[in-house]
Amino acid sequence: MLEIEDLVVSYGAVEAVRGVSLSVGAGEVVGLLGPNGAGKTSTLRAASGLVSYGGSVRFEGKEVSRLGVEKAAKAGLIHVPEGRHIFPTLTVHENLQVGATARAGRADGYSFEEVYALFPALAGMRDRGGWALSGGEQQMVAVGRALVAAPRLLMLDEPSLGLAPIVVKAVFRALRKIAERTPVLLVEQNTVMALKLCHRAAVLSGGRVVLSGTAAELSDRSAILDSYLGQERVHDAEAEHLKA
Amino acid sequence: MTAALGGAVNTIAALCEFTGGKRTFISLLFSGLSIGSIAALAALGFLLMQKATGVISFAQGDMITLGAYIAIWWMRDRDAPWLLAYVLTLVMMFGIGIVLERVAYAPLKGRSIHVVVIATLGAALVIRAIIALWQDTTPTSLFSPLKGRDPVKIGGAAIPPVKIAVFVVTLVVVAVMIAVFNRTQFGRQVRAIAADRETARMHGVAATKMSMIAFGLSTALAGLAGILIGPTQNVDLTLGFGAMLAGFSAAILGGFGSLGGVVIGGFMIGLSEQIVGGYCLSEYKSAFPYVLMLIVIAVRPQGLFSRGAAHGRL
Amino acid sequence: MGEKPVKLWRRLIIPVALLSIVAAACGDDDDDAPAAEGTTTAPAADETTTTAAAATTTAATTAPSADAPTTTAAPELVLDEPVSIIGLYEDTGESPAAQPYFAAGAQMAIDEINAAGGIGGQEVSYERIAAGLAADAAVQSTLEAIDAAPTVIIGLPSSGQVIAAAPEIAKAEIPAILFSAAPQAFLDYEGEGGVGNEWVFIYRPRNTAIAAQQVAFVNDEFAPTKVALLCVNNPFGTASCDVMETELEALGIEVTTRETNEFDATDMTTQVLAIQNGDPDLILNVNFPNPITVFANQLIENGVTIPHVDGASAGFAFLAGNLTDEARDLLYGVEDCLPTLQNEEWSAKYEDEFGGPPNYAAAETYDAIYIIKAAIERAGSTDPAAVRDALAETSHEGICTTYETDEGNGLHHSAIVVDYEGGTINIIKELSF
């Protein structure tokens, strides 16, 4: 489905991604984990054709840089950007309608009604302006807008960022349902949530893949994972236990 | 405070002279509506292009002039009947807009918006030079089936049918544009591009196609403005310049926001010039729209009809 | 962000293409027939917006027919020094407002003179410098001309140019015969900011003199008791209307209203209604072609059917073809010179040479070259002071009129009143002052 090989992304003299290889197969849910600045978002932006890159990114056998952003989207490679990027001047429903632009006649995608069924909170606010939505509602619209395009691969960038824990749970509940129908490449900092959803994951640090494996393997090696992620140990209780 | 306000009102009233009764008022009203209509059409052109591409094209004024000259050429040199000439002019202007997009905008993508705006100024000069070489610079005239018809009497005022037609055509065009923007996929795509170009492209909105169509449509709108204003004036190289300034001011008044906003801005331009200027300080009336615009920029930089901060680009 | 980087060559295509188009447009002036008229693009160029070549006129010639201009100088004059003339004006295509008439009229006279043996046995070397309308551009071109030390400088069609350049000419002490009749450019100007000097002569009739003559004409022709004034809101309009108002008051004629408009006005409702409320017998208008057209048509729409006497721009308004028949038949214009009506023989010769009919500027610039020739011949030398003094003694029968130097160094003292009844230009009165 998506084959990334020796991907290099640089901004001027700064190399954000330094030789990442990664693939997502049909029916797979793959996580891309890592701390801030590890190169996750750059990898995703290269994968959807937004930035120029070295190495190769092939979507269903076609080089993404040749396709360009718009054609890659129309081919079913849909990228939900970090920060949601709802169209603020369009209503909820209009946001979904614009999302359908990339559907390009594919029959197997979500209908508007299916999206509203998946996110019942949105059903009552079809005519609300994008500028008047909460963070969680925006995330729902962003995901819904991607789904109506009948994605062949859904790429999600930090869907939990800035959301309250209860909203994060709701979003991931929806993603679990989505993942049953659609392959997903998920970029997340919330490793616990991500590993529950993904089959496989790769950990990025300093623009390189430093660790990869199945979700189960990575969960078992959470100490190493945490050290790469450079974050406070999530499992505070466990830490207390070790000290004792 | 009240006394100061009263003093100000008295001072303003002293500068105004309300003479001529209903007849004068109706005459000024229709002049204002007709000038406002042209400003509104020009403003719609600015808005459409700005929404789709982020660019403000100062070639719009010369496009208005070009529209009038193309219509003249079809009728005078090609003997086309007037309606056919109008339609062909609009079609040609649409094509010329696409050429402008390819020549003055597409190659400059990714450059600073200022560079692109300067390029549109360059395009304006080129268009003007081309018209001068093609049709020479002698003032000429554009036929309209309504020209020279007896004026319509409204409340004692004599209103030429051309002015009424300008107003009616503008209302129809505005209604169609509002419908297109709000009810069609093209309209939603343009608004999506205006709000967030990159995200729109990530959802398959073909930015290049949109910008070509937007250039085409706004150039056709300029052509329509040229066809409407042409029969009321001598047509020469400066025909569209004033209309462009008025349209730009209207777009500022409307905050480059909603279609309705810039159209109301257009009518405010026309009415402030003709009605306020007609009664008060009439020797300065041509400055009124711009004074109004400056006040709006100072007091409400986002424009009169824009929700909160501007969401679009620029 | 997000856009693919654009290669440098693609970025350069457009500026280069635009430049080459502009260059082509500017360079391609020679094979263009002198059919283009000056326009109202530049508000400063009021005098250059005067009238048009009347290609379609059929009226009878009423002016004295001037054959090839005659000179009164001694034919045996032999000059030792070369004679050179520099013309300061643009030709078609050099700017949007550029007209071909100055260059064409001068060239025609120079060619004739050289074909007949030059001046004092010397071939006249003639060079044209494209002087822009902006004051600083005009000064630049004038200094360039001064550097070449010509015998006489000719040209400068707009008032801004003349006002800026006249002091430089005085400093250089080179005689000049200039086109624009800005009041400040005359030696006898009494207001602030006069630039008139003994080296500068003006070959167009004075704006203010024409304004006074217009009042005298309407008084004779229509004997009005009440007159409305409309003046374009610039120095030319204001000065002319000031003169008219004074003259009208002197004749005991009431000025009902004095309205103004911008040179680019597109709607004259306010002015029409204000004038109508004053119920005048006649309107005197000092304006630009487009406001004249709009105003004249709006007068008819509002049922105001009184004579409407304008200046030189009326001809443009008429030729543009936008006046309704009623508006056209009530319109009068005042022109310096209409060669196609006043001198058909010369006009035919001009048209043979340049492919289009001449206008006033062509005729007057042609005349000015012969005025220079006569002055050099009378001076008997190319000494600047001697030529200057000879120019001050000018009496020359030209295409439309006889030029005589007055106390203000003005040379041109005539104009004609025309109407456009029935769609032709008809001379109805000759004015002289």
Side-chain angles (χ1 to χ4, degrees):
Chain A
M1 187 120 284
L2 184 71
E3 307 281 341
I4 299 176
E5 272 170 42
D6 295 326
L7 179 71
V8 177
V9 178
S10 1
Y11 302 105
V14 182
E15 280 197 340
V17 179
R18 313 175 183 192
V20 166
S21 296
L22 184 75
S23 72
V24 185
E28 261 195 313
V29 179
V30 176
L32 194 53
L33 314 177
N36 263 338
K40 305 185 303 286
T41 294
S42 295
T43 303
L44 225 52
R45 288 177 67 82
S48 59
L50 284 167
V51 293
S52 49
Y53 55 79
S56 113
V57 179
R58 278 191 300 277
F59 177 64
E60 297 190 319
K62 291 187 194 107
E63 192 66 38
V64 166
S65 62
R66 293 246 178 87
L67 283 174
V69 194
E70 296 151 17
K71 287 215 178 106
K74 288 205 158 169
L77 180 61
I78 307 292
H79 176 175
V80 178
E82 183 182 346
R84 278 85 71 174
H85 286 270
I86 293 305
F87 301 119
T89 47
L90 272 63
T91 64
V92 167
H93 195 69
E94 286 174 334
N95 266 278
L96 299 185
Q97 286 173 311
V98 170
T101 307
R103 189 175 187 117
R106 281 187 298 278
D108 54 343
Y110 287 70
S111 68
F112 295 131
E113 292 316 313
E114 281 178 287
V115 168
Y116 288 123
L118 188 64
F119 300 111
L122 295 182
M125 48 179 73
R126 291 179 189 221
D127 294 329
R128 184 174 292 187
W131 51 276
L133 299 176
S134 72
E137 290 158 358
Q138 286 182 26
Q139 189 62 61
M140 293 177 206
V141 173
V143 173
R145 185 175 61 183
L147 292 179
V148 294
R152 313 267 298 139
L153 173 64
L154 186 62
M155 302 198 291
L156 294 157
D157 196 353
E158 305 270 12
S160 73
L161 192 71
L163 299 183
I166 187 160
V167 181
V168 172
K169 276 193 182 141
V171 167
F172 271 87
R173 240 190 331 267
L175 290 181
R176 201 178 308 283
K177 280 191 208 161
I178 293 162
E180 291 165 12
R181 279 172 73 173
T182 309
V184 173
L185 175 58
L186 173 70
V187 162
E188 255 303 346
Q189 286 193 51
N190 189 332
T191 29
V192 179
M193 293 299 282
L195 287 176
K196 280 186 194 164
L197 182 70
C198 299
H199 308 142
R200 289 192 295 120
V203 179
L204 244 59
S205 180
R208 289 196 174 86
V209 176
V210 288
L211 200 60
S212 66
T214 64
E217 285 165 3
L218 290 172
S219 296
D220 288 347
R221 302 167 69 186
S222 65
I224 303 172
L225 188 59
D226 287 353
S227 77
Y228 278 120
L229 296 179
Q231 62 193 26
E232 289 297 307
R233 289 179 60 100
V234 198
H235 312 293
D236 286 344
E238 195 184 331
E240 289 303 313
H241 178 73
L242 283 173
K243 270 183 195 167
Chain B
M1 182 65 197
T2 325
L5 201 64
V9 168
N10 282 338
T11 313
I12 293 168
L15 299 173
C16 300
E17 213 179 326
F18 297 98
T19 52
K22 191 170 77 173
R23 179 172 166 269
T24 297
F25 180 78
I26 292 172
S27 293
L28 293 174
L29 177 69
F30 273 89
S31 286
L33 290 177
S34 136
I35 291 174
S37 297
I38 298 294
L41 285 177
L44 282 182
F46 273 117
L47 183 73
L48 181 61
M49 200 178 282
Q50 195 271 338
K51 288 276 180 196
T53 65
V55 172
I56 290 174
S57 168
F58 287 104
Q60 282 295 86
D62 290 280
M63 287 298 187
I64 293 173
T65 313
L66 182 62
Y69 271 105
I70 289 178
I72 289 172
W73 178 75
W74 277 115
M75 283 190 252
R76 192 189 58 198
D77 298 352
R78 297 264 142 242
D79 292 325
W82 62 271
L83 189 60
L84 179 67
Y86 288 177
V87 171
L88 289 171
T89 300
L90 296 182
V91 170
M92 278 176 76
M93 290 299 287
F94 186 87
I96 289 167
I98 289 176
V99 171
L100 179 70
E101 198 272 351
R102 292 287 89 191
V103 168
Y105 172 68
L108 297 174
K109 262 182 206 168
R111 300 291 296 268
S112 146
I113 203 76
H114 304 110
V115 173
V116 182
V117 170
I118 299 293
T120 67
L121 272 174
L125 295 176
V126 171
I127 293 163
R128 196 177 291 197
I130 289 171
I131 300 174
L133 291 173
W134 175 45
Q135 290 283 311
D136 87 42
T137 54
T138 313
T140 180
S141 65
L142 172 57
F143 173 81
S144 153
L146 296 173
K147 198 149 88 174
R149 289 275 176 90
D150 285 343
V152 179
K153 291 276 179 188
I154 300 174
I159 311 299
V162 176
K163 277 186 186 165
I164 297 172
V166 167
F167 180 56
V168 171
V169 169
T170 301
L171 287 188
V172 170
V173 168
V174 168
V176 169
M177 289 280 290
I178 286 177
V180 165
F181 255 58
N182 290 314
R183 303 257 174 270
T184 68
Q185 185 70 356
F186 166 74
R188 285 187 286 270
Q189 289 179 342
V190 169
R191 285 157 60 215
I193 283 217
D196 190 334
R197 188 178 185 82
E198 182 176 288
T199 306
R201 297 181 66 213
M202 286 162 67
H203 288 86
V205 177
T208 303
K209 197 173 91 190
M210 288 292 117
S211 84
M212 284 165 69
I213 295 176
F215 266 79
L217 272 183
S218 59
T219 306
L221 275 176
L224 178 64
I227 288 172
L228 289 173
I229 196 178
T232 68
Q233 308 289 322
N234 290 336
V235 176
D236 66 18
L237 294 182
T238 63
L239 179 76
F241 186 73
M244 176 181 78
L245 282 188
F248 184 65
S249 308
I252 298 263
L253 284 179
F256 273 105
S258 65
L259 281 168
V262 301
V263 170
I264 293 171
F267 286 117
M268 285 175 69
I269 295 282
L271 293 174
S272 69
E273 180 186 314
Q274 287 299 308
I275 296 194
V276 183
Y279 289 117
C280 313
L281 291 170
S282 61
E283 55 270 54
Y284 303 106
K285 70 174 178 181
S286 57
F288 278 36
Y290 307 106
V291 171
L292 186 68
M293 182 186 84
L294 290 175
I295 292 172
V296 167
I297 290 175
V299 176
R300 226 182 120 79
Q302 70 272 36
L304 290 177
F305 309 104
S306 221
R307 253 196 309 255
H311 289 304
R313 290 151 58 91
L314 265 188
Chain C
M1 291 293 286
E3 306 285 356
K4 285 180 203 160
V6 179
K7 286 188 179 130
L8 184 64
W9 67 268
R10 295 188 61 180
R11 291 180 177 170
L12 285 175
I13 283 180
I14 291 319
V16 171
L18 291 183
L19 277 177
S20 55
I21 293 170
V22 171
C26 293
D28 184 24
D29 50 280
D30 289 335
D31 53 356
D32 214 63
E37 290 291 342
T39 68
T40 56
T41 314
D46 14 273
E47 297 85 352
T48 67
T49 64
T50 322
T51 198
T56 59
T57 52
T58 57
T61 299
T62 57
S65 97
D67 296 327
T70 53
T71 67
T72 52
E76 64 275 8
L77 170 72
V78 176
L79 287 172
D80 303 329
E81 319 89 349
V83 176
S84 63
I85 297 175
I86 292 184
L88 294 173
Y89 27 72
E90 296 176 309
D91 200 347
T92 313
E94 290 175 344
S95 83
Q99 306 181 36
Y101 300 108
F102 300 100
Q107 193 66 53
M108 185 173 167
I110 295 281
D111 290 348
E112 282 176 8
I113 289 168
N114 282 337
I119 301 175
Q122 294 279 346
E123 182 169 346
V124 182
S125 74
Y126 164 72
E127 189 194 339
R128 186 178 63 82
I129 298 174
L133 280 182
D136 56 343
V139 168
Q140 185 63 42
S141 303
T142 306
L143 292 175
E144 201 182 316
I146 288 169
D147 279 347
T151 316
V152 179
I153 292 170
I154 178 171
L156 299 180
S158 100
S159 51
Q161 293 178 319
V162 166
I163 290 167
E168 303 296 338
I169 289 167
K171 237 183 287 169
E173 302 192 339
I174 294 174
I177 172 162
L178 305 183
F179 184 77
S180 167
Q184 297 92 322
F186 289 90
L187 196 50
D188 54 355
Y189 178 73
E190 283 170 355
E192 292 280 308
V195 294
N197 62 69
E198 56 181 347
W199 297 94
V200 169
F201 298 82
I202 306 292
Y203 68 98
R204 276 207 76 190
R206 300 173 188 230
N207 297 335
T208 46
I210 289 182
Q213 285 298 310
Q214 268 172 290
V215 172
F217 161 75
V218 299
N219 190 40
D220 291 350
E221 186 83 13
F222 305 104
T225 58
K226 292 185 288 182
V227 168
L229 289 177
L230 177 65
C231 336
V232 64
N233 191 7
N234 75 2
F236 154 69
T238 309
S240 300
C241 267
D242 285 347
V243 169
M244 286 181 174
E245 198 163 354
T246 312
E247 296 285 321
L248 287 167
E249 277 165 12
L251 290 167
I253 299 171
E254 183 195 344
V255 175
T256 57
T257 26
R258 177 169 169 175
E259 291 290 311
T260 61
N261 63 273
E262 297 301 317
F263 77 98
D264 58 353
T266 57
D267 189 299
M268 304 288 285
T269 306
T270 319
Q271 291 85 349
V272 167
L273 293 175
I275 286 171
Q276 187 175 21
N277 286 337
D279 191 26
D281 303 323
L282 179 126
I283 299 161
L284 279 168
N285 189 359
V286 181
N287 231 309
F288 276 53
N290 191 55
I292 292 176
T293 306
V294 176
F295 177 69
N297 285 340
Q298 285 194 309
L299 284 175
I300 302 299
E301 282 162 12
N302 284 280
V304 184
T305 51
I306 54 176
H308 165 204
V309 181
D310 203 294
S313 295
F316 263 128
F318 164 66
L319 287 175
N322 249 331
L323 293 165
T324 62
D325 290 355
E326 302 98 304
R328 181 198 66 206
D329 287 350
L330 287 165
L331 182 65
Y332 295 80
V334 178
E335 315 261 0
D336 314 10
C337 164
L338 270 179
T340 48
L341 292 188
Q342 293 179 283
N343 196 327
E344 286 176 356
E345 192 185 329
W346 180 80
S347 295
K349 208 172 146 200
Y350 178 98
E351 196 162 347
D352 278 350
E353 203 156 325
F354 299 103
N359 76 348
Y360 69 102
E364 289 165 343
T365 306
Y366 173 92
D367 286 342
I369 297 287
Y370 274 101
I371 290 171
I372 294 168
K373 172 173 184 281
I376 294 170
E377 285 169 347
R378 278 197 309 280
S381 86
T382 57
D383 172 61
V387 173
R388 174 200 68 197
D389 293 341
L391 279 170
E393 305 284 309
T394 290
S395 174
H396 173 77
E397 194 186 337
I399 302 301
C400 291
T401 186
T402 299
Y403 298 84
E404 310 260 0
T405 312
D406 65 22
E407 67 280 8
N409 276 5
L411 292 164
H412 195 157
H413 308 286
S414 70
I416 49 174
V417 181
V418 297
D419 70 17
Y420 309 95
E421 206 164 332
T424 57
I425 302 179
N426 317 296
I427 295 174
I428 55 172
K429 180 145 194 193
E430 290 175 32
L431 308 174
S432 63
F433 38 87

